Amino acid sequence: ILSDNNINDTSAISISQMLITNTTLQLLNINNNLIGNEGAGYIANSLHINQSLVTLHMVNNNIGELGMIQIANCLATNTTLC
């Protein structure tokens, strides 16, 4: 659980890199952080590859319409997220 940790767009790069290589993580809670559209884009790109994550919590960040579109688009290729 990484909620309430002041994670920003730069920190989201590390999360996205982890998601690319991690094959066991099933739940990621990054609620209540400072992630914006750029960080959401990094995470979305990694979700095209990650096939183990089942649940992703990202509420109360600074993600706008563009970031949410990027996250939504990754769902077309990611079949494990509910």
Side-chain angles (χ1 to χ4, degrees), residues 9 35-42 62-68 70:
D9 289 338
I35 300 169
N37 289 333
E38 185 179 356
Y42 293 130
N62 296 326
I63 303 170
E65 184 177 346
L66 176 62
M68 292 313 301
Q70 292 172 308

mmCIF file of all heavy atoms in Angstrom, residues 9 35-42 62-68 70:
data_model
loop_
_atom_site.group_PDB
_atom_site.id
_atom_site.type_symbol
_atom_site.label_atom_id
_atom_site.label_comp_id
_atom_site.label_asym_id
_atom_site.label_seq_id
_atom_site.Cartn_x
_atom_site.Cartn_y
_atom_site.Cartn_z
ATOM 1 N N ASP A 9 4.609 12.521 -10.291
ATOM 2 C CA ASP A 9 4.846 11.973 -11.624
ATOM 3 C C ASP A 9 6.224 11.335 -11.741
ATOM 4 O O ASP A 9 6.374 10.284 -12.363
ATOM 5 C CB ASP A 9 4.687 13.064 -12.687
ATOM 6 C CG ASP A 9 3.241 13.496 -12.867
ATOM 7 O OD1 ASP A 9 2.332 12.710 -12.516
ATOM 8 O OD2 ASP A 9 3.019 14.609 -13.359
ATOM 9 N N ILE A 35 -0.029 12.113 -8.172
ATOM 10 C CA ILE A 35 0.187 11.635 -9.536
ATOM 11 C C ILE A 35 -0.706 12.415 -10.490
ATOM 12 O O ILE A 35 -1.913 12.531 -10.276
ATOM 13 C CB ILE A 35 -0.093 10.129 -9.630
ATOM 14 C CG1 ILE A 35 0.844 9.358 -8.692
ATOM 15 C CG2 ILE A 35 0.051 9.632 -11.073
ATOM 16 C CD1 ILE A 35 0.480 7.900 -8.511
ATOM 17 N N GLY A 36 -0.107 12.943 -11.550
ATOM 18 C CA GLY A 36 -0.841 13.685 -12.565
ATOM 19 C C GLY A 36 -0.938 12.892 -13.858
ATOM 20 O O GLY A 36 -0.701 11.684 -13.894
ATOM 21 N N ASN A 37 -1.257 13.608 -14.935
ATOM 22 C CA ASN A 37 -1.411 12.960 -16.234
ATOM 23 C C ASN A 37 -0.136 12.263 -16.687
ATOM 24 O O ASN A 37 -0.187 11.165 -17.247
ATOM 25 C CB ASN A 37 -1.827 13.979 -17.295
ATOM 26 C CG ASN A 37 -3.253 14.444 -17.110
ATOM 27 O OD1 ASN A 37 -4.086 13.734 -16.559
ATOM 28 N ND2 ASN A 37 -3.545 15.646 -17.557
ATOM 29 N N GLU A 38 1.005 12.898 -16.465
ATOM 30 C CA GLU A 38 2.276 12.309 -16.892
ATOM 31 C C GLU A 38 2.521 10.985 -16.161
ATOM 32 O O GLU A 38 2.862 9.971 -16.782
ATOM 33 C CB GLU A 38 3.423 13.281 -16.631
ATOM 34 C CG GLU A 38 4.764 12.803 -17.139
ATOM 35 C CD GLU A 38 5.876 13.820 -16.888
ATOM 36 O OE1 GLU A 38 5.601 14.940 -16.392
ATOM 37 O OE2 GLU A 38 7.024 13.475 -17.186
ATOM 38 N N GLY A 39 2.360 10.981 -14.866
ATOM 39 C CA GLY A 39 2.553 9.762 -14.084
ATOM 40 C C GLY A 39 1.555 8.681 -14.448
ATOM 41 O O GLY A 39 1.896 7.496 -14.517
ATOM 42 N N ALA A 40 0.316 9.083 -14.703
ATOM 43 C CA ALA A 40 -0.705 8.121 -15.129
ATOM 44 C C ALA A 40 -0.307 7.489 -16.456
ATOM 45 O O ALA A 40 -0.536 6.295 -16.676
ATOM 46 C CB ALA A 40 -2.065 8.806 -15.236
ATOM 47 N N GLY A 41 0.301 8.285 -17.330
ATOM 48 C CA GLY A 41 0.769 7.760 -18.611
ATOM 49 C C GLY A 41 1.846 6.709 -18.444
ATOM 50 O O GLY A 41 1.828 5.670 -19.110
ATOM 51 N N TYR A 42 2.789 6.971 -17.541
ATOM 52 C CA TYR A 42 3.843 5.977 -17.271
ATOM 53 C C TYR A 42 3.227 4.673 -16.757
ATOM 54 O O TYR A 42 3.589 3.584 -17.195
ATOM 55 C CB TYR A 42 4.837 6.491 -16.226
ATOM 56 C CG TYR A 42 5.686 7.652 -16.666
ATOM 57 C CD1 TYR A 42 5.791 8.784 -15.874
ATOM 58 C CD2 TYR A 42 6.391 7.622 -17.858
ATOM 59 C CE1 TYR A 42 6.582 9.862 -16.255
ATOM 60 C CE2 TYR A 42 7.178 8.688 -18.255
ATOM 61 C CZ TYR A 42 7.266 9.811 -17.450
ATOM 62 O OH TYR A 42 8.047 10.873 -17.830
ATOM 63 N N ASN A 62 -3.950 13.714 -8.910
ATOM 64 C CA ASN A 62 -4.140 14.891 -9.769
ATOM 65 C C ASN A 62 -4.298 14.487 -11.227
ATOM 66 O O ASN A 62 -3.859 15.191 -12.128
ATOM 67 C CB ASN A 62 -2.938 15.845 -9.618
ATOM 68 C CG ASN A 62 -2.841 16.409 -8.217
ATOM 69 O OD1 ASN A 62 -3.851 16.636 -7.562
ATOM 70 N ND2 ASN A 62 -1.630 16.617 -7.747
ATOM 71 N N ILE A 63 -4.908 13.345 -11.453
ATOM 72 C CA ILE A 63 -5.054 12.814 -12.802
ATOM 73 C C ILE A 63 -6.266 13.450 -13.464
ATOM 74 O O ILE A 63 -7.378 13.390 -12.943
ATOM 75 C CB ILE A 63 -5.194 11.281 -12.769
ATOM 76 C CG1 ILE A 63 -3.981 10.665 -12.072
ATOM 77 C CG2 ILE A 63 -5.363 10.722 -14.173
ATOM 78 C CD1 ILE A 63 -4.123 9.185 -11.772
ATOM 79 N N GLY A 64 -6.019 14.034 -14.628
ATOM 80 C CA GLY A 64 -7.082 14.667 -15.392
ATOM 81 C C GLY A 64 -7.624 13.746 -16.462
ATOM 82 O O GLY A 64 -7.355 12.536 -16.482
ATOM 83 N N GLU A 65 -8.356 14.345 -17.390
ATOM 84 C CA GLU A 65 -8.990 13.563 -18.451
ATOM 85 C C GLU A 65 -7.969 12.799 -19.301
ATOM 86 O O GLU A 65 -8.170 11.616 -19.604
ATOM 87 C CB GLU A 65 -9.818 14.488 -19.341
ATOM 88 C CG GLU A 65 -10.596 13.761 -20.406
ATOM 89 C CD GLU A 65 -11.470 14.693 -21.236
ATOM 90 O OE1 GLU A 65 -11.687 15.854 -20.826
ATOM 91 O OE2 GLU A 65 -11.922 14.255 -22.298
ATOM 92 N N LEU A 66 -6.875 13.442 -19.668
ATOM 93 C CA LEU A 66 -5.858 12.785 -20.493
ATOM 94 C C LEU A 66 -5.289 11.551 -19.792
ATOM 95 O O LEU A 66 -5.162 10.481 -20.398
ATOM 96 C CB LEU A 66 -4.727 13.758 -20.836
ATOM 97 C CG LEU A 66 -3.554 13.176 -21.623
ATOM 98 C CD1 LEU A 66 -4.014 12.667 -22.984
ATOM 99 C CD2 LEU A 66 -2.459 14.216 -21.783
ATOM 100 N N GLY A 67 -4.960 11.678 -18.520
ATOM 101 C CA GLY A 67 -4.424 10.548 -17.766
ATOM 102 C C GLY A 67 -5.412 9.412 -17.651
ATOM 103 O O GLY A 67 -5.047 8.239 -17.762
ATOM 104 N N MET A 68 -6.677 9.745 -17.434
ATOM 105 C CA MET A 68 -7.690 8.705 -17.318
ATOM 106 C C MET A 68 -7.920 8.006 -18.655
ATOM 107 O O MET A 68 -8.160 6.798 -18.696
ATOM 108 C CB MET A 68 -9.002 9.288 -16.782
ATOM 109 C CG MET A 68 -8.911 9.743 -15.329
ATOM 110 S SD MET A 68 -8.118 8.568 -14.180
ATOM 111 C CE MET A 68 -9.143 7.140 -14.326
ATOM 112 N N GLN A 70 -5.587 7.503 -20.866
ATOM 113 C CA GLN A 70 -4.448 6.599 -21.009
ATOM 114 C C GLN A 70 -4.645 5.329 -20.186
ATOM 115 O O GLN A 70 -4.355 4.225 -20.668
ATOM 116 C CB GLN A 70 -3.160 7.310 -20.592
ATOM 117 C CG GLN A 70 -2.768 8.423 -21.548
ATOM 118 C CD GLN A 70 -1.607 9.237 -21.021
ATOM 119 O OE1 GLN A 70 -1.630 9.712 -19.891
ATOM 120 N NE2 GLN A 70 -0.585 9.387 -21.852
#
